[in-house]
Amino acid sequence: MKKILLGLLILILAVAGYVFYKFSSAKSADSGPKQAAIILKKHSEAFNNAVKLAMDAYFDMSAAFVNADTAAVKQNNRKFITLIDSIPMDELKKDTANIYPVAINFYNDIKANSQSLLTQTN
């Protein structure tokens, strides 16, 4: 009796799996037209270098935080602010992904937080 119930259960699961597979693959095959790929322009070497230098200063500041070195944090933070100001953000306007407004919002937030960090005493 147990073998019959076990066999019936396996048969039901197999049929349910087959039906699920058929209906899920049918939906993915007819999903309509594909979305056009986002075209990103290759940025200039100056842009890439400016971002790299700013990120290096950020990582130096992060290491100073880990070491609890307030003077090094402030020094690297000043360097970071100077370097993010040197990033040619207008170059992002070339991208068709409309990334410029998002990047400017993040840029402004990062700069405001970095400048407020300079006013902290500890």
Side-chain angles (χ1 to χ4, degrees):
M1 182 70 180
K2 287 183 180 180
K3 289 183 179 182
I4 294 173
L5 288 176
L6 183 59
L8 186 59
L9 180 63
I10 291 173
L11 180 65
I12 291 171
L13 288 174
V15 169
Y18 175 76
V19 169
F20 176 76
Y21 172 76
K22 277 303 213 179
F23 285 114
S24 67
S25 64
K27 288 181 185 176
S28 64
D30 187 28
S31 61
K34 291 186 177 183
Q35 182 178 356
I38 296 174
I39 300 170
L40 298 176
K41 305 289 184 202
K42 185 174 180 179
H43 299 293
S44 68
E45 190 63 33
F47 179 86
N48 293 336
N49 191 39
V51 171
K52 181 194 176 306
L53 291 174
M55 292 305 300
D56 288 344
Y58 174 80
F59 294 136
D60 291 342
M61 181 175 56
S62 177
F65 270 116
V66 170
N67 295 329
D69 187 351
T70 306
V73 168
K74 289 194 177 207
Q75 176 186 2
N76 287 313
N77 189 26
R78 284 185 195 93
K79 181 179 176 183
F80 176 67
I81 291 170
T82 302
L83 290 171
I84 63 170
D85 283 339
S86 70
I87 297 174
M89 297 297 285
D90 287 342
E91 192 168 320
L92 295 177
K93 290 180 181 178
K94 297 176 188 175
D95 289 332
T96 61
N98 206 13
I99 195 171
Y100 180 76
V102 175
I104 285 298
N105 285 336
F106 280 116
Y107 169 81
N108 291 334
D109 287 344
I110 291 168
K111 188 168 180 182
N113 288 328
S114 296
Q115 288 173 335
S116 81
L117 185 62
L118 288 175
T119 64
Q120 303 299 317
T121 58
N122 58 15

